[in-house]
Every structure is written in C-alpha cells, then in structure tokens.
Amino acid sequence: MSLKRTHALTLSALFIAIGSTLGAFISIPFGVAKAYPIQHLINVLSAVILGPFYAVANAFFISLFRNMMGTGSLLAFPGSMIGALLASLLYRKIPKVHFALIGEVIGTGLIGALVAYPMAQLFLGSSHAATFFIVPFAISSLSGALIAWIMIKALAEPLKKWFNS
C-alpha cells in the first residue's frame, strides 16, 4: 500500500467518523427529513481531496452508521451519495472548488431530493409532494458546502504539504 493511499484511507476514515458522530449532534428537522450540514461538508471535502470513489463511499458509510445509531434517515442515502458523486465529478472535470460546491447542492438539493420522494412514500409512508424535500435538502447541502469552502480555503496549503510528504 502506497503512502498516498494510506493518507487517503486515513483521511476517509476520519471523515466517516466525524460525519457519523458530529452529524448526530448538528441537525435541522424538516418534516420527515433531517438536514445534516456536516454530511455535505464531508461530501465536498471528500470530493475535492479524495475523489469520486472515496466521496461516495464516505457518504454511504456515514449514512449507514447514522441509520444504525438511530440518528439518521433512509433519505440520507440518495441525497448524500448523489451529491458526493456529482461534486466529485464536477471537480474532477473542472478543478475549481466552487464546482464541487455546485455539484453538491445540485446533486443533493435537487436530484437527491427528487430521488428521496419515492423512498419516502415507500418506506416512510410520506404523502408529501415530490418537491417537498427540495428546500430542506438544498438548505442543508448549501450550508454544508459553504462551510467546506471556507475550510478548504483555510487549509489548502497545509493539505498540499501533507499529501506531498
């Protein structure tokens, strides 16, 4: 295992631990859904620093652990994973941080929210309209993405040194 892969796995494990634990304490309830800005912060950081595979894997495991601990919702799976994937792919195509933010907000706030609708009907018995989840998902993803942007700007140089060592 190369040193760079060890760094990526270590950082991924750290992101999953932070997202699983801190996400349980920082949430905003919106009807049957819960907004977790920490998840979106981790999605953007993972997209920019680690890439698509780790970003989607991190989103999956954070959603899984939060559901296992009883602090998450099944709706976390589509929103977080689609947001992480789109953030990663946009950042990989155009390596500017704001494209990762846009990918996270569109992926989670719009696409993930629309995908969550049939899940909410099937598994949660929700009778809300298809667009019901867009506002809470968008608020959550936008707030987390903005926090990530601030952190990336502040930590850009230390992270470059860490990954190049």
Side-chain angles (χ1 to χ4, degrees), residues 129-155:
T131 57
F132 175 78
F133 298 106
I134 292 175
V135 172
F137 278 40
I139 290 170
S140 179
S141 62
L142 182 60
S143 61
L146 290 175
I147 296 167
W149 180 75
I150 292 167
M151 287 181 70
I152 289 168
K153 292 298 179 185
L155 298 173

Side-chain angles (χ1 to χ4, degrees), residues 19 32-36 39-40 43 56 58-67 71-84 104 107-108 112-113 115-116 119-120 124 133 137 140:
V32 296
K34 290 182 183 176
Y36 288 90
Q39 173 70 63
H40 312 291
N43 281 357
V56 174
N58 291 350
F60 172 79
F61 283 112
I62 291 169
S63 297
L64 179 67
F65 293 150
R66 283 188 9 228
N67 274 276
T71 61
S73 161
L74 288 177
L75 305 180
F77 285 100
S80 65
M81 293 172 66
I82 293 169
E104 172 62 24
T108 298
V115 171
M119 287 184 65
L124 303 176
F133 298 106
F137 278 40
S140 179

Side-chain angles (χ1 to χ4, degrees), residues 6 18 23 28-29 45 51 59 68-69 71 77 94 96 99 102 104 119 123-124 137 146 148-150 154 163-164:
T6 302
I18 290 169
I28 306 164
L45 292 176
M68 289 171 59
M69 294 185 301
T71 61
F77 285 100
I94 306 164
K96 302 221 180 270
F99 282 99
I102 291 167
E104 172 62 24
M119 287 184 65
F123 296 115
L124 303 176
F137 278 40
L146 290 175
W149 180 75
I150 292 167
F163 272 101
N164 290 328

